[in-house]
Amino acid sequence: IFLTGATGFLGVFLLHELLQQTSANVFCLVRAKSEQAAYDKLRSGLEQYEIFDPELMHRVLPVCGDLSSPQLGLTTAQFDQLANEVDAIYHNGALVNFIQPYAALKAANVLGTEEVLRLACTHKVKPVHYVSTLSVFGSAMPIDSGSFSEDDFPSPSFDGEDGYSQSKWVAEQLVRTAASRGLPVTIHRPATVTGHSDTGVWNMDNFLCRLIRGCIDIGKAPVEQMNFDIVPVDYVSKAIVYLSQQPQVIGKTFHFNNKWPVKSIDIIAWINAFGCPVQQVPFAEWRENVTAVTKQSTDHPLYPLLSMFQEDVVGEDKSVEIRKEYSVVKTEEALLMSGIQCPAADRALFDA
């Protein structure tokens, strides 16, 4: 198996599940100066998220490369060797940044996907299991059914400079084009991937995680209502690897989202109940507090998100939010026999 993005949060758990659910050797593309350094990165990620198993590490094969470079940063000989040895590809790697424009993300997210598809077609055909995102729907709204189904793929519709969603839309379009030409493909679209449902381990740099940490630090949160569509990382990784091994799913797309999004007012109530006092204030007042505290410390959890908290639009009611819904009917049907289910986004999950 060839896996990209194995050092990222979801990627670490995908690697773990591939080692658990299959007997395959797993080539992992890692940006590093040496194979030993790449191996150390992979091991460190597994240890950090409490899923390291020393008995399985002999099947982890680091490959030094770069998604944003031609031939994935490999020599022609290395690329050809991989193309001959690999039997399946899990393309999870991407540059995730909600601030940078499309141009800054194109090399890794679009051209990197192009190189992965090239690898899949070289010497022998290899199935590609592509990790996309629900944000490919951008600002589009469902027309007839009230929700986007797994089979829907909208025309590009994005607000402002949403470079990440744009780049993932284009990459998914490339994957779909390859599928139309005969490449066996499955597409997996997660919502916001959050901590493990049992151990609670989470990527501390995740947007929602930073938001929670930052609000606790300043003791304030916006009173305006927001919804968060979250899915635990163990559910997403288990589901993707299970589905990828079912021959009947080739050519299909799956959604990994929560049928019952969690409300910000509930999260704040749970934070307070947990013993961390957080007061709700108007968005403008909260933003002023965030600006003040991040000026004093660039290490603050909210500092990297500062540009996302824009000035108030006059007359805008931030408490009114149009919620898009994504159908999981076909995904649940495909997972029925596996017993894999998405945990509810309730207090028990947040306590973990």
Side-chain angles (χ1 to χ4, degrees), residues 99 138 140-141 166 191 204 219 260-261 284 292 334 352:
I99 298 171
M141 294 299 295
Q166 292 170 6
M204 297 287 278
W260 299 280

Side-chain angles (χ1 to χ4, degrees), residues 29-322:
L29 187 72
V30 180
R31 282 206 306 176
K33 292 183 178 179
S34 67
E35 286 190 2
Q36 185 59 52
Y39 180 88
D40 291 343
K41 269 190 176 183
L42 294 164
R43 174 173 177 151
S44 175
L46 292 163
E47 289 176 339
Q48 176 185 350
Y49 296 123
E50 303 175 12
I51 48 176
F52 175 67
D53 185 343
E55 295 184 3
L56 299 178
M57 290 303 288
H58 68 281
R59 289 165 44 207
V60 177
L61 309 173
V63 177
C64 295
D66 186 347
L67 263 184
S68 61
S69 298
Q71 290 189 151
L72 304 173
L74 308 176
T75 65
T76 300
Q78 289 173 320
F79 193 88
D80 281 347
Q81 184 178 355
L82 263 184
N84 275 313
E85 291 189 27
V86 167
D87 302 300
I89 297 173
Y90 291 74
H91 181 30
N92 169 69
L95 180 54
V96 182
N97 190 299
F98 300 106
I99 298 171
Q100 290 185 316
Y102 173 85
L105 305 173
K106 178 182 176 181
N109 297 359
V110 177
L111 302 183
T113 298
E114 195 173 83
E115 293 300 326
V116 166
L117 294 172
R118 194 186 316 282
L119 181 70
C121 299
T122 301
H123 297 313
K124 61 180 180 181
V125 172
K126 311 156 196 68
V128 174
H129 310 288
Y130 174 63
V131 180
S132 184
T133 169
L134 286 173
S135 69
V136 295
F137 290 100
S139 57
M141 294 299 295
I143 299 173
D144 298 322
S145 63
S147 66
F148 289 113
S149 82
E150 290 93 332
D151 297 331
D152 288 340
F153 185 64
S155 300
S157 176
F158 301 99
D159 291 328
E161 291 299 318
D162 185 2
Y164 174 71
S165 299
Q166 292 170 6
S167 69
K168 293 295 283 186
W169 186 95
V170 176
E172 186 174 316
Q173 179 64 46
L174 288 175
V175 173
R176 288 171 169 274
T177 300
S180 72
R181 297 176 182 175
L183 189 69
V185 162
T186 53
I187 296 173
H188 307 274
R189 296 178 182 147
T192 300
V193 180
T194 53
H196 193 286
S197 60
D198 291 325
T199 66
V201 291
W202 197 358
N203 173 14
M204 297 287 278
D205 290 327
N206 171 276
F207 171 80
L208 180 56
C209 193
R210 280 186 176 273
L211 199 55
I212 291 172
R213 292 165 55 208
C215 288
I216 290 172
D217 181 74
I218 64 176
K220 293 180 182 178
V223 70
E224 289 79 10
Q225 178 75 359
M226 290 183 68
N227 291 321
F228 294 96
D229 190 348
I230 66 169
V231 280
V233 67
D234 47 313
Y235 162 67
V236 179
S237 57
K238 281 183 170 66
I240 289 175
V241 175
Y242 169 81
L243 290 169
S244 69
Q245 298 179 84
Q246 313 308 310
Q248 68 272 21
V249 307
I250 289 294
K252 296 183 179 178
T253 300
F254 300 99
H255 285 173
F256 305 106
N257 58 292
N258 212 305
K259 289 189 287 187
W260 299 280
V262 63
K263 294 177 171 59
S264 56
I265 192 171
D266 291 329
I267 297 177
I268 295 164
W270 297 333
I271 290 171
N272 278 286
F274 212 77
C276 302
V278 173
Q279 176 190 3
Q280 290 185 281
V281 298
F283 180 79
E285 180 182 338
W286 177 80
R287 189 187 61 239
E288 287 176 9
N289 279 269
V290 172
T291 303
V293 75
T294 52
K295 279 181 179 177
Q296 296 173 9
S297 172
T298 56
D299 293 329
H300 194 275
L302 296 176
Y303 178 77
L305 311 179
L306 200 55
S307 65
M308 299 180 72
F309 308 135
Q310 301 297 324
E311 293 292 324
D312 277 327
V313 177
V314 177
E316 180 183 359
D317 182 358
K318 284 185 170 294
S319 64
V320 177
E321 180 178 343
I322 300 173

